[in-house]
Amino acid sequence: MVSLWSYWRDGGARRQKFDTVGGLSSYAVELTKRSPTAQLTAEGSETGTLRVDLSWRMRANSDFGARNHGLSRALRRPMDIFKPAEILGHSQGVASIDLDLACLYELKDGTRGVVQSLGGLLGDFNAAPYIKLSGDDRFGGTASGESLYVNLDHAEEFKRLLVFVYIYDGVPAFDRADVVVTLVSADGKNIEIGLVDPVPNARSCAVAMIEPRKGQLVARREVRYVYGFQSEIDRLYGWGMAWGRGAKPTRT
């Protein structure tokens, strides 16, 4: 399979992606409207760590037409994705936006909450909610970017987890960036969800719901945009929490 993030990061020139985990080959699986779910754990082996990564690349104005041209050509001539990319123009990039990764959680004992940088609610890996946010990458493309770590040793305690992305600062412009959320399972699978078809002026996007199903954790693609922040995501999915104004911790 081919990595969606590699395709967007390289401006439309896809590269075959191979990783090795424990001697086995791992690859990127893309969740789409037609294929919206993926298994994260196998029955009886809910252990280890699920990592959720947020990456994005700001697009230059010329990229809007170039990307649509490249995707259209790839659909008509699939083997062309392995050819060098055409140079379709160059212009100055648009201003950066600050995307943030977060997770609403509900445990089976009824506990509900959120893990996010806003308000310093970074979670805990070894105690409830067994989810930890690490990093606050304000540029999107660095190797040490923003990630969520989910402790699968406590997978039986999760009722549902909702991964979402919001624009804390700057212009609400999901349509000015190529954004990918990647779920990296304990056995090395890379499950990618592209934030496609953005709604103008949306500030938040529900990306993926993670729930137990027949003894396994399963991720379901959502990609639903809202104009507000966490409280609007909450109302959309019925979390029933009280929300107030928050701020990111000051960097030292």
Side-chain angles (χ1 to χ4, degrees):
M1 297 293 289
V2 177
S3 167
L4 177 65
W5 172 240
S6 295
Y7 177 82
W8 283 354
R9 180 195 59 201
D10 299 335
R14 294 198 185 203
R15 299 188 306 179
Q16 193 77 19
K17 177 179 179 180
F18 293 100
D19 297 319
T20 300
V21 178
L24 299 176
S25 175
S26 66
Y27 54 89
V29 175
E30 181 185 357
L31 296 190
T32 65
K33 290 181 180 180
R34 290 189 174 185
S35 181
T37 62
Q39 180 182 316
L40 299 175
T41 58
E43 188 171 0
S45 61
E46 297 89 348
T47 60
T49 301
L50 169 68
R51 192 178 82 239
V52 183
D53 295 332
L54 169 65
S55 302
W56 73 92
R57 180 188 74 99
M58 298 304 298
R59 295 203 302 270
N61 292 333
S62 62
D63 286 350
F64 291 88
R67 188 180 66 159
N68 289 336
H69 171 78
L71 287 174
S72 176
R73 186 182 66 180
L75 290 173
R76 287 182 283 108
R77 301 172 62 186
M79 293 307 297
D80 281 1
I81 64 176
F82 300 109
K83 295 180 180 180
E86 299 173 7
I87 299 175
L88 298 177
H90 174 77
S91 66
Q92 294 296 319
V94 297
S96 294
I97 56 177
D98 183 11
L99 295 176
D100 286 279
L101 184 65
C103 182
L104 280 165
Y105 62 84
E106 181 177 3
L107 305 183
K108 289 184 178 177
D109 66 2
T111 302
R112 299 182 183 186
V114 65
V115 174
Q116 60 180 22
S117 58
L118 205 61
L121 302 173
L122 302 181
D124 195 308
F125 187 78
N126 294 310
Y130 309 107
I131 307 165
K132 178 70 175 178
L133 177 65
S134 177
D136 178 17
D137 179 15
R138 305 198 179 186
F139 300 96
T142 62
S144 58
E146 196 162 339
S147 298
L148 282 162
Y149 297 88
V150 180
N151 189 341
L152 296 181
D153 292 347
H154 296 271
E156 73 282 355
E157 300 189 42
F158 299 134
K159 182 176 180 179
R160 56 175 179 162
L161 309 177
L162 178 64
V163 176
F164 66 97
V165 173
Y166 62 97
I167 299 175
Y168 168 73
D169 195 17
V171 177
F174 278 105
D175 58 346
R176 298 186 187 181
D178 294 319
V179 186
V180 177
V181 171
T182 304
L183 311 178
V184 184
S185 65
D187 62 356
K189 288 186 295 187
N190 293 283
I191 300 162
E192 295 184 342
I193 304 171
L195 273 57
V196 297
D197 302 324
V199 175
N201 299 317
R203 280 205 170 269
S204 304
C205 180
V207 179
M209 181 73 77
I210 299 171
E211 296 175 299
R213 184 185 301 173
K214 296 181 179 179
Q216 305 167 359
L217 277 183
V218 175
R220 184 181 73 244
R221 177 189 184 274
E222 297 291 324
V223 189
R224 300 175 69 182
Y225 296 90
V226 300
Y227 293 104
F229 290 100
Q230 292 89 330
S231 60
E232 196 165 341
I233 294 281
D234 181 318
R235 285 194 295 272
L236 187 62
Y237 287 90
W239 237 264
M241 293 169 54
W243 297 89
R245 290 185 177 273
K248 287 187 179 182
T250 303
R251 287 187 169 184
T252 58

